[in-house]
């Protein structure tokens, strides 16, 4: 039986199969996730990440990240403290937010593994193109909630699941490090549980605000 790695609901159904993996969907939170038997070993996972070429001076990558940075910055008072969770080898977003006057720490299990930053609380937490890599997203979600200050913002960028037909043709699922696929319903489920106010921006940016009290 495949239990949901996000909400731990025990009722799931087969969502899609291809030549390499089977994908299941939770009937409660609607997360789509891969068969646990096909998760990569850490060294194989990192080998794929090492192929990524995201440089701080890359204007195209900065424009890509601005889809999250711009609406987030519009909501933040200067200076604010933040954490870029899953920053990768080149923390471009953190640099952009620092340039705007904010204090930003970085964490990544492979490239910035200093866990002391996870003991702090922040005005905002960002996670760009990383949540889909989480093997056990429940742990990271609750960790974020505990680190986010009242009134703080959680900013996530990830491609969203639409329906089984679109999923079958979706290039996003073909990356073997992509193992957890979120939909609008999934984020609404999480926001409702935690009492957060979600805002969906475009096709892949989600901002959630924690209540002031």
């Amino acid at each position: 039986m495949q239990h949901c790695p996000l909400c731990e609901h025990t009722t799931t159904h087969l969502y899609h199969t291809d030549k390499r993996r089977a994908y299941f969907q939770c009937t409660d939170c609607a997360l789509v996730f891969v068969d646990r038997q096909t998760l990569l070993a850490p060294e194989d996972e990192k080998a794929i990440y090492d192929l990524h070429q995201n440089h701080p001076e890359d204007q195209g990558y900065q424009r890509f990240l601005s889809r999250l940075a711009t609406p987030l910055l519009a909501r933040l008072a200067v200076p604010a403290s933040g954490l870029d969770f899953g920053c990768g080898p080149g923390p471009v977003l953190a640099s952009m937010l620092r340039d705007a006057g904010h204090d930003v720490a970085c964490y990544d299990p492979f490239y910035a593994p200093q866990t002391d930053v996870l003991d702090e609380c922040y005005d905002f937490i960002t996670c760009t193109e990383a949540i889909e890599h989480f093997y056990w997203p429940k742990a990271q979600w609750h960790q974020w909630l505990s680190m986010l200050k009242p009134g703080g913002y959680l900013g996530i960028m990830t491609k969203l699941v639409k329906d089984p037909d679109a999923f079958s043709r979706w290039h996003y699922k073909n990356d073997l490090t992509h193992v957890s696929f979120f939909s609008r319903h999934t984020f609404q489920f999480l926001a409702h549980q935690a009492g957060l106010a979600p805002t969906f921006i475009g096709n892949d940016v989600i901002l959630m605000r924690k209540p002031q009290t």
Side-chain angles (χ1 to χ4, degrees):
M1 180 180 293
Q2 298 280 336
H3 290 189
C4 177
L6 178 60
C7 72
E8 296 188 336
H9 195 61
T10 58
T11 305
T12 61
H13 67 267
L14 183 65
Y15 191 74
H16 178 73
T17 57
D18 58 30
K19 294 180 179 179
R20 296 182 293 182
R21 303 188 292 186
Y23 307 80
F24 297 86
Q25 185 176 48
C26 177
T27 59
D28 201 11
C29 73
L31 182 79
V32 175
F33 58 96
V34 302
D35 184 342
R36 303 290 91 184
Q37 298 301 314
T38 60
L39 295 175
L40 298 177
E43 59 271 20
D44 296 327
E45 189 182 4
K46 184 177 183 296
I48 295 175
Y49 299 149
D50 287 342
L51 299 175
H52 294 179
Q53 300 292 325
N54 298 324
H55 299 292
E57 64 276 9
D58 185 337
Q59 295 296 316
Y61 189 54
Q62 290 185 29
R63 285 194 296 273
F64 171 73
L65 293 175
S66 70
R67 300 214 302 265
L68 184 146
T70 299
L72 176 62
L73 288 171
R75 290 164 167 80
L76 296 176
V78 181
S81 63
L83 173 68
D84 187 14
F85 192 104
C87 62
V92 181
L93 179 61
S95 296
M96 294 168 63
L97 297 173
R98 287 171 186 148
D99 288 345
H102 301 292
D103 181 21
V104 186
C106 292
Y107 174 76
D108 188 286
F110 293 109
Y111 301 105
Q114 295 76 22
T115 58
D116 57 308
V117 299
L118 303 179
D119 295 327
E120 305 296 327
C121 291
Y122 300 94
D123 297 310
F124 65 91
I125 299 170
T126 59
C127 181
T128 56
E129 290 293 320
I131 197 171
E132 64 274 5
H133 301 282
F134 292 174
Y135 285 11
W136 308 105
K138 178 183 178 180
Q140 277 84 32
W141 175 254
H142 286 287
Q143 188 174 48
W144 290 347
L145 293 179
S146 69
M147 292 190 294
L148 194 62
K149 294 179 181 179
Y153 286 93
L154 176 60
I156 299 169
M157 178 183 284
T158 189
K159 299 293 188 295
L160 298 178
V161 172
K162 295 181 180 178
D163 56 61
D165 181 60
F167 191 89
S168 70
R169 295 176 279 104
W170 200 22
H171 71 91
Y172 207 61
K173 74 178 187 312
N174 298 332
D175 185 333
L176 293 181
T177 66
H178 290 181
V179 299
S180 296
F181 304 92
F182 293 70
S183 65
R184 195 182 190 94
H185 175 87
T186 307
F187 284 118
Q188 289 170 334
F189 174 94
L190 291 172
H192 177 74
Q193 277 200 331
L196 305 182
T199 301
F200 295 89
I201 301 171
N203 296 321
D204 58 357
V205 172
I206 305 93
L207 295 181
M208 300 190 189
R209 192 178 192 191
K210 194 172 187 178
Q212 291 283 359
T213 56

